[in-house]
């Protein structure tokens, strides 16, 4: 289930909204032209399923999005903890990649098959931190300033949609804002505290 936190983008960010209400989240994101949809999660995908298997399980939904929005390239990105010696290093490097504010020439469209991650959308003086989980399909329009945090223990499987195969290269703004907004681990802890 999605969890949205909205902050001011000031030197000392204030929290404007925290919500787990699907309708409220969709309406809030619509105001900044970001579309959040939900697909039924396919429950019988085996753990460790590869790209072909995952795309086949969601073929109907994926084809509908491609037809409606003209994407030409779809793949699956996955990151899950393993016992290899280099996992902490790989996890930290993957997290760092898009942890600073950037834009893309293409839309950033992700369907979370499982796991979670936070997209931070910096628009009109506010930062919308959208914690996505299995079942969430988020469409961030091209040129939207944003960053992504998968946390210090990344675990997710996501289907990605592209209009061309280099549209997702990041154009970094150099803004330090990402450092002063609560990170994935902090927001996940906030949410757990609210739920208990
Ligand atoms: Fe991005």
């Amino acid at each position: 289930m999605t969890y949205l936190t909205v902050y001011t983008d000031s030197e000392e960010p204030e929290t404007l909204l925290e919500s787990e209400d699907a309708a409220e989240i969709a309406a809030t994101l619509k105001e900044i032209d970001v579309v959040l949809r939900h697909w039924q999660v396919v429950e019988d995908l085996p753990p460790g399923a590869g790209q072909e298997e995952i795309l086949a399980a969601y073929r109907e939904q994926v084809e509908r999005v491609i037809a409606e929005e003209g994407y030409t390239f779809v793949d699956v990105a996955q990151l899950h903890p393993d016992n290899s010696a280099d996992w902490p290093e790989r996890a930290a490097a993957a997290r760092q990649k898009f942890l600073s504010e950037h834009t893309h020439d293409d839309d950033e469209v992700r369907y979370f098959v499982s796991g979670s991650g936070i997209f931070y959308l910096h628009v009109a003086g506010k930062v919308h931190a959208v914690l996505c989980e299995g079942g969430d399909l988020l469409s961030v329009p091209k040129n939207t300033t944003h960053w992504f945090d998968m946390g210090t223990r990344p675990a997710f499987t996501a289907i990605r949609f592209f209009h061309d195969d280099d549209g997702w290269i990041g154009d970094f703004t150099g803004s330090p804002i990402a450092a002063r907004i609560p990170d994935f681990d902090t927001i996940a802890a906030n949410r757990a505290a609210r739920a208990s």
Side-chain angles (χ1 to χ4, degrees):
M1 207 166 88
T2 332
Y3 179 64
L4 172 69
T5 317
V6 181
Y7 302 94
T8 60
D9 68 356
S10 48
E11 282 303 317
E12 290 179 28
E14 287 169 46
T15 302
L16 300 173
L17 173 74
E18 283 176 273
S19 180
E20 285 187 273
D21 182 298
E24 182 177 40
I25 293 172
T28 305
L29 294 179
K30 198 168 172 230
E31 287 171 20
I32 59 166
D33 292 327
V34 171
V35 178
L36 177 68
R37 282 168 285 188
H38 306 280
W39 292 347
Q40 186 72 40
V41 170
V42 174
E43 300 288 357
D44 55 359
L45 263 176
Q51 171 162 300
E52 294 308 315
E53 214 170 341
I54 292 166
L55 291 177
Y58 288 93
R59 184 174 3 242
E60 224 173 272
Q61 296 93 320
V62 167
E63 283 181 355
R64 195 168 61 232
V65 170
I66 289 173
E68 285 170 2
E69 298 174 32
Y71 297 108
T72 54
F73 187 76
V74 177
D75 73 1
V76 174
Q78 330 202 33
L79 205 57
H80 295 282
D82 59 41
N83 294 323
S84 60
D86 67 344
W87 163 251
E89 197 183 319
R90 283 191 291 123
R95 181 181 183 222
Q96 208 54 44
K97 210 167 170 195
F98 290 110
L99 197 53
S100 299
E101 189 184 73
H102 62 277
T103 60
H104 305 280
D105 292 340
D106 197 355
D107 304 337
E108 186 157 341
V109 181
R110 301 287 181 270
Y111 172 71
F112 282 79
V113 173
S114 64
S116 56
I118 300 182
F119 278 93
Y120 293 80
L121 314 166
H122 183 199
V123 181
K126 296 178 192 171
V127 174
H128 296 69
V130 191
L131 192 161
C132 295
E133 290 185 324
D136 293 342
L137 172 66
L138 188 72
S139 303
V140 180
K142 63 180 178 181
N143 301 324
T144 303
T145 41
H146 69 280
W147 65 96
F148 179 74
D149 190 0
M150 56 183 75
T152 54
R153 296 172 52 79
F156 66 89
T157 296
I159 299 176
R160 314 188 291 182
F161 298 80
F162 305 92
H163 283 108
D164 58 68
D165 52 14
D166 65 358
W168 62 281
I169 291 170
D171 192 359
F172 289 85
T173 65
S175 165
I177 184 160
R180 61 178 192 261
I181 299 289
D183 64 6
F184 177 97
D185 292 13
T186 305
I187 291 177
N190 286 349
R191 178 201 199 180
R194 260 168 66 98
S196 64

